[in-house]
Amino acid sequence: MKINKIIYMTLIIILSFSILSGAQEPVKVVQPKRGDINISETVAGKIVPAKTINLPSEINGVVKKIYVSIGEKVNQGDKLLEFDKSQILIQKKQSEATLEVAQSNFNQVLRGASQEDIETAEANYKQAQISLASTKKSLEIVRETYQDKTSLKQQLINAEMQLASAEKQLQSAAERVKQAEKALQQAEVGVKKAKNNLTQAKNDYDRMGKLYKDNVISKQQMEGAKLQLENAQSSYDNAHLQVENAHLSIKSAEIAEEQAEISLTSSKQIYEITKKTYDNPTQLKQQLHSAETQVEVSEVNLVIAETNLKKIKKGADQDQIQAARASVKQAEAGLEQINLQLSKTIIKSPISAHIASVNTEENEMVAAGTPVVNLAVIDQLNVDTTVTPDLRPYIKVGDEVEIIIKNGGSKQYAAVIKNISPIINPQNEAYPIKLQFIDVPQNIYAGMFVDVRFQKSSSKEALSVPIDSVFNLYDVPYLFVVEDGKVAKRELEVGLIFQDRVEVLGGLNEDDQLIIQGQQKVADGDTVEVVE
């Protein structure tokens, strides 16, 4: 009985093993999918104008007029703002006067001495000759007197005559100074009259020009007005020249008066010495020494007068001409600088743009360098954004990106990468990037925030499988497929990994049945049951 029980149990075990060994593991399978793969990353960005320009004041001044307002469209060359220019106009008049004086002096140097200057120098030379001859004669008389005491009386008479002559010369010289001053007054009156005539001629010329332009007068009448203007200008220049000549005449007359005073003083001294000698003969020796000294002085004066005459006839030397020319250039540079300052009193738009801001008000004092107007070019919009060092290797200038604007909805626009900063911004540890819209979007404005989608990787018509079906993904990846009811192991060559799928580059066919459920319970060669 016991043996039968053992046999019975053995049969049950064998039967159970047979049933178990014939069971199949249920699995679910799918085929690989083929399609495009796009891996992107989205960052935040901000719409900005294509260009902004801050226009500063280039001068210190008071704002006189503002011609624009915020949001207004301006074209290149339009007036934006104007400063008060009254002070600069005064400086311009001063610079013009300085230039006129420098030019007149330069012309005078080039022209050389006038005939009157030459005549004056020649007269001074002749007077120096006469003075030398006179002092020599006086010396000769003193010597004779010193040697012959009987001639003292005659010397005294001669001294009296010389003194009277010197007094007449002084009177004549003083009269000449008065005449020269009177001539200067007349010349100055002539300048004023010529200036008034020139002003009238200019006004007539401008008026005739307008009439001629309107075909009211003939060309001959217009040319007559022009000739009248040229004659008035010539008269004005000649009047100025007469004033200059009058100044020179006064100077010459004053020199002659000084020389006459010197001659009178000398004659008085000679007379007093002669009289003292006549009254006291013991002083003759002292008179002789004085006469010798006067001869020496007269000889020096003659040399000076001769040198001055030669210099005036020769004219200015190269150094004097160069100095006069330099003065003209300096005055011209000063006037040019004032004109430059004058041009900076008006600020014009350098480009066509919109007014973003006006940072001053009329009648406000503004310092040089202060930004007064900000321009923005909004006909073309850009997007400013940044990318992390991880994303930077995937992008380059010229790549196309997608701009997503959520403005009452979600709209996508195409843009290209315009530039990428070569260095990272230390504040946010990212690279600044500027994007440019390919087509100008409508109802989009600077200051709006957007999303920017960068394409990191892509693959066209790629074969992919669920990531959960792949084992050992980052070493030697593989998965299981079902072939004729049995499990087969397939080693894979993988590509892009995106979301919940893996791109398969090799090791798998498009019609293979890969296990996606139950793959953890099977091994290569197992018999399985495919279930829906």
Side-chain angles (χ1 to χ4, degrees), residues 48-52 377 380-385 395-401 403 415-421 432-438 452 454:
V48 297
K51 180 185 292 185
T52 58
V377 178
Q380 174 66 55
L381 297 174
N382 293 335
V383 174
D384 283 346
T385 186
I395 63 174
K396 65 181 182 299
V397 173
D399 283 354
E400 187 170 325
V401 300
I403 306 297
V416 294
I417 299 177
K418 188 176 180 180
N419 56 59
I420 304 173
S421 174
I433 291 181
K434 189 174 291 293
L435 312 173
Q436 180 176 338
F437 283 99
I438 294 177
V452 182
F454 293 96

Side-chain angles (χ1 to χ4, degrees), residues 15-26 485 521-522 525-529:
L15 180 61
S16 299
F17 179 77
S18 298
I19 294 172
L20 290 173
S21 62
Q24 296 177 338
E25 181 69 30
K521 301 177 182 180
V522 298
D526 287 351
T527 300
V528 293
E529 178 185 1

Side-chain angles (χ1 to χ4, degrees), residues 241-267:
L241 183 59
Q242 289 178 7
V243 170
E244 293 177 3
N245 291 336
H247 279 291
L248 294 174
S249 297
I250 290 175
K251 185 175 181 181
S252 175
E254 289 174 344
I255 292 173
E257 186 178 23
E258 290 176 1
Q259 291 177 341
E261 289 175 349
I262 294 171
S263 178
L264 177 60
T265 302
S266 176
S267 297

Side-chain angles (χ1 to χ4, degrees), residues 2-269:
K2 187 177 182 179
I3 294 174
N4 292 334
K5 188 176 180 179
I6 293 173
I7 293 172
Y8 177 73
M9 293 297 296
T10 300
L11 291 173
I12 291 174
I13 291 172
I14 293 173
L15 180 61
S16 299
F17 179 77
S18 298
I19 294 172
L20 290 173
S21 62
Q24 296 177 338
E25 181 69 30
V27 296
K28 286 187 177 181
V29 298
V30 295
Q31 290 183 335
K33 291 183 178 179
R34 187 172 293 280
D36 295 338
I37 298 174
N38 292 301
I39 301 177
S40 62
E41 184 170 333
T42 301
V43 299
K46 185 179 182 180
I47 297 178
V48 297
K51 180 185 292 185
T52 58
I53 299 178
N54 278 320
L55 297 179
S57 168
E58 297 187 71
I59 60 172
N60 297 321
V62 176
V63 178
K64 180 180 180 182
K65 181 71 174 177
I66 298 175
Y67 296 97
V68 294
S69 57
I70 296 176
E72 184 178 344
K73 174 70 182 293
V74 294
N75 296 317
Q76 183 178 3
D78 285 352
K79 280 185 180 182
L80 306 180
L81 180 148
E82 184 174 359
F83 289 92
D84 180 75
K85 62 183 72 172
S86 55
Q87 291 296 324
I88 300 178
L89 289 176
I90 293 174
Q91 295 174 6
K92 182 178 181 180
K93 288 182 179 180
Q94 294 172 343
S95 295
E96 288 174 341
T98 301
L99 176 59
E100 185 176 350
V101 172
Q103 188 65 55
S104 177
N105 292 337
F106 179 59
N107 293 337
Q108 179 67 30
V109 170
L110 290 181
R111 187 168 59 245
S114 64
Q115 184 62 34
E116 186 175 356
D117 294 335
I118 296 175
E119 291 175 356
T120 300
E122 289 176 341
N124 292 336
Y125 176 63
K126 290 179 181 180
Q127 187 172 357
Q129 288 178 319
I130 294 171
S131 178
L132 177 59
S134 176
T135 54
K136 284 183 177 181
K137 185 65 176 177
S138 298
L139 176 60
E140 185 179 338
I141 293 172
V142 172
R143 279 176 179 168
E144 290 177 356
T145 303
Y146 183 73
Q147 296 170 358
D148 185 5
K149 305 296 188 290
T150 60
S151 62
L152 285 177
K153 180 64 176 178
Q154 185 62 42
Q155 290 181 27
L156 181 59
I157 294 172
N158 292 338
E160 290 174 345
M161 294 175 61
Q162 184 176 356
L163 177 59
S165 176
E167 288 175 343
K168 289 182 179 180
Q169 288 181 0
L170 179 59
Q171 292 176 356
S172 177
E175 184 62 28
R176 183 180 170 187
V177 170
K178 291 181 181 179
Q179 292 177 354
E181 290 175 345
K182 184 176 181 180
L184 174 60
Q185 292 176 355
Q186 293 175 348
E188 289 176 340
V189 171
V191 168
K192 292 181 180 179
K193 183 177 180 181
K195 184 177 181 181
N196 291 335
N197 292 339
L198 178 59
T199 301
Q200 182 62 41
K202 286 182 177 178
N203 293 334
D204 291 344
Y205 179 77
D206 293 339
R207 181 174 56 82
M208 295 293 278
K210 293 179 180 178
L211 294 175
Y212 179 71
K213 185 177 180 181
D214 294 336
N215 294 323
V216 177
I217 63 171
S218 64
K219 182 177 181 182
Q220 183 177 3
Q221 289 175 303
M222 185 63 199
E223 291 176 349
K226 180 179 180 184
L227 179 60
Q228 183 179 359
L229 176 60
E230 292 173 349
N231 291 337
Q233 182 68 52
S234 178
S235 298
Y236 180 70
D237 294 339
N238 290 334
H240 264 291
L241 183 59
Q242 289 178 7
V243 170
E244 293 177 3
N245 291 336
H247 279 291
L248 294 174
S249 297
I250 290 175
K251 185 175 181 181
S252 175
E254 289 174 344
I255 292 173
E257 186 178 23
E258 290 176 1
Q259 291 177 341
E261 289 175 349
I262 294 171
S263 178
L264 177 60
T265 302
S266 176
S267 297
K268 285 180 179 180
Q269 292 175 350

